[in-house]
Amino acid sequence: MTLYAIGDIHGHIAKLDRALALIEADGGTDAEIVFVGDYIDRGPDSRAVIERLMAGLEAGQRWTCLKGNHDRLMDWFFEPEPRHDPHLLVGYHWFHPSIGGVETLSSYGVSVPDRVRLSTLQGTARRHVPEAHIAFLRGLKLTHEAQGMLFVHAGVRPGLALNEQTEEDLLWIRQEFLEDPRPFDRPVVHGHTPVETPEHWGRRINLDGGAAFGRTLVPVAFDGDQVFSLTDDGRVPLKPRDNPV
């Protein structure tokens, strides 16, 4: 049975709706879909994206939603004491212009002043962000295994078994994963690192086509050992490239 996957959405509801429509046209209303995280930030519609995903799950859709690093940033902001992600560079935080927390809270009707205490901002945000949305983010899975593939947001650390992987790597890893030429024990389907369009490298398939930066959100179909991008004109084969990087 065909399995579908969608990469980083980053707060773009129209792009998500188009991707879902392409999947429905290809596989029907009961298609199995894996979302690899980063539902929020940068785009203007983070609230609407979360609501769409929650509604699908509540309606019994065969959807699996994984956690992305941006989703965890929002989750951690709403802990009893807002938590900063130590993986971020010095000077960066959820409300840094390049990260997207300002746009996410704006989708809930919350503005972020230039100078405000985190505790004050969190109190305001709690009055606007439904607790169910926070619970949705907090309950997201880190990995999913299906049809001989491993789905994860960022990637895995080469040389370690799945049960040895850390949450930090599953949500944040880049070069150590992308540039290691060793084959994995199964193909890894991931997002997190934006490219021009989904890429198939044999050992890994990158779904992050850069929707956060104005590009199209392209859903991918896995049909046996074949991989396809879905377009308005139907399936387009996504063939493995030669370069392992």
Side-chain angles (χ1 to χ4, degrees):
M1 183 175 293
T2 303
L3 175 66
Y4 300 88
I6 293 178
D8 305 42
I9 301 165
H10 280 298
H12 289 279
I13 189 62
K15 295 181 182 183
L16 172 59
D17 285 344
R18 175 182 177 273
L20 291 173
L22 290 173
I23 291 175
E24 182 175 337
D26 187 83
T29 58
D30 192 37
E32 182 178 0
I33 307 174
V34 180
F35 301 84
V36 298
D38 276 6
Y39 311 117
I40 64 166
D41 291 351
R42 298 185 175 138
D45 312 310
S46 290
R47 177 176 188 154
V49 168
I50 291 178
E51 288 175 343
R52 181 78 80 254
L53 295 174
M54 291 177 60
L57 293 172
E58 291 169 3
Q61 295 285 357
R62 296 191 300 150
W63 294 358
T64 298
C65 295
L66 301 182
K67 180 178 291 188
N69 57 309
H70 284 262
D71 309 315
R72 193 178 74 170
L73 288 172
M74 183 173 176
D75 171 13
W76 281 9
F77 172 72
F78 282 102
E79 289 189 343
E81 293 291 334
R83 192 182 348 171
H84 176 73
D85 195 319
H87 188 90
L88 292 169
L89 297 172
V90 171
Y92 282 68
H93 46 79
W94 190 39
F95 302 108
H96 188 278
S98 68
I99 302 300
V102 171
E103 290 83 356
T104 293
L105 287 190
S106 178
S107 74
Y108 289 92
V110 179
S111 62
V112 180
D114 291 336
R115 292 179 61 85
V116 63
R117 295 185 186 278
L118 279 181
S119 58
T120 301
L121 179 59
Q122 187 202 63
T124 301
R126 280 195 174 277
R127 293 193 292 273
H128 291 78
V129 178
E131 186 63 35
H133 288 206
I134 303 170
F136 167 77
L137 296 173
R138 196 154 291 163
L140 295 171
K141 297 173 54 177
L142 291 172
T143 63
H144 179 68
E145 298 174 78
Q147 298 190 11
M149 297 176 289
L150 174 66
F151 293 81
V152 63
H153 177 65
V156 296
R157 185 162 295 278
L160 295 181
L162 181 57
N163 62 3
E164 298 175 313
Q165 301 288 333
T166 68
E167 182 172 310
E168 293 303 308
D169 283 338
L170 297 173
L171 296 182
W172 282 102
I173 198 168
R174 276 208 172 98
Q175 273 65 39
E176 301 94 330
F177 164 67
L178 300 175
E179 299 176 0
D180 194 301
R182 290 174 291 175
F184 308 121
D185 62 351
R186 74 198 95 172
V188 178
V189 183
H190 67 95
H192 184 58
T193 299
V195 289
E196 291 296 321
T197 191
E199 296 178 348
H200 189 345
W201 296 104
R203 57 197 267 282
R204 64 179 182 85
I205 297 96
N206 184 358
L207 303 178
D208 186 358
F213 306 106
R215 296 193 286 276
T216 303
L217 182 64
V218 180
V220 170
F222 299 91
D223 194 347
D225 59 357
Q226 295 183 300
V227 185
F228 302 90
S229 294
L230 298 185
T231 72
D232 292 328
D233 297 320
R235 294 186 176 193
V236 175
L238 189 60
K239 297 182 179 180
R241 304 188 180 193
D242 295 330
N243 189 334
V245 177

